[in-house]
Amino acid sequence: MSRAFVEIGDIQPLVDAAVEHGVDLAPFIQRSDEGGDARIEIADYFRIQRSLALASDDLTAVISSRKLTFKTGQFLIAQMQNATSLMATIEILAEHMNMMHGDTYNSVRFGDSRLALIIDDSHFPYRSRENTDFVELVGDCLTIKIHCLLDSLTEGAASAALRRIKLKRRRGETRRPQNAFWSVPLEYGAPAYELIYDFDLACAPLQIREAVDMSTDGLFSRVISHLDTRDAIDGERSIAARTRDLLEDGLSRQSDVARKLDISVATLRRRLSEEGVQFRDLLLETRLLRAEGMLKRGASVAQATEALDYSDIRAFNRAFKRWKGKTPAAFAQDFQS
């Protein structure tokens, strides 16, 4: 995951609602504008929503034309603490959010070793439905909020299991800065939003130990705290470690990794060099580790070669032998025996 932002110009309906309800946005916007960029961090976007939600007594932060009071949020508390897996947490959240909103916007789908939480806002009563940019931003940020909520409740199990995100905005449009949050592949132009998790990991047993406050303040505070903690941890980790994470998540180009880290390609090269590594070496290491895992699971050398985009088997054999001291076939045979 990288640092995510929201363009100030994209949240004009929230700015207008803040004026209407007497909410001062200056502390959030001034803090983000010190460098001259007209944007705020994703955590501050949710702080603005929390302030609006509390001022209006509306859990939707005045985004919906149908008010949702904070008391309804207490509905989730007991059920959440009975969840015994990420899958159960997702199912409970989807069911009760539907009950809170009085309509079926959320559903769960299983298949192909994946579990998907589907959020279909096609018929959601947005106040500003005619403002497509704002509605798409709200949907993008909603996926982030729900994932952060799930991840905080399951102590990181949601992030470990996350595999892909589907967004409704069209493919080919300029990538919006809020979506820099995601380190997994994004699929655009979907009919609904989807958070797609590994099924086996989603079924792993867990226990939610803490009390779950799903009031307006409790829900937003949980998400904001989770984002602040994540950013603090990321800030302490080396660029090489964060680059490895992104490469393991499927990225392979320096430009894509640099964009995820919110730095330039030149800065990425310089920072890696200062830490004594080069991008190509990290990429090769990641590929070979993936190849080792495939061979251990019974994949053929040809399958590993194709999956890792090597030009031919001989090139893959040479790279693997330099790394492990033996050919992929010999490694696989030794492992099986």
Side-chain angles (χ1 to χ4, degrees), residues 106-151:
N106 307 277
S107 59
V108 181
R109 185 184 68 234
F110 310 94
D112 298 327
S113 72
R114 294 289 187 261
L115 180 155
L117 172 57
I118 302 168
I119 306 153
D120 186 354
D121 67 345
S122 302
H123 304 291
F124 188 80
Y126 288 109
R127 283 181 183 268
S128 305
R129 177 164 288 280
E130 72 286 350
N131 187 336
T132 304
D133 290 339
F134 178 67
V135 169
E136 288 182 343
L137 177 137
V138 169
D140 290 349
C141 293
L142 178 61
T143 62
I144 294 171
K145 181 171 78 171
I146 289 177
H147 175 70
C148 288
L149 179 60
L150 289 168
D151 204 41

Side-chain angles (χ1 to χ4, degrees), residues 8-40:
I8 293 295
D10 289 345
I11 61 169
Q12 190 58 48
L14 288 184
V15 174
D16 295 341
V19 172
E20 179 185 345
H21 291 277
V23 175
D24 181 13
L25 300 187
F28 313 116
I29 296 176
Q30 286 177 355
R31 179 168 56 195
S32 66
D33 282 348
E34 291 172 355
D37 291 334
R39 61 184 188 176
I40 56 174

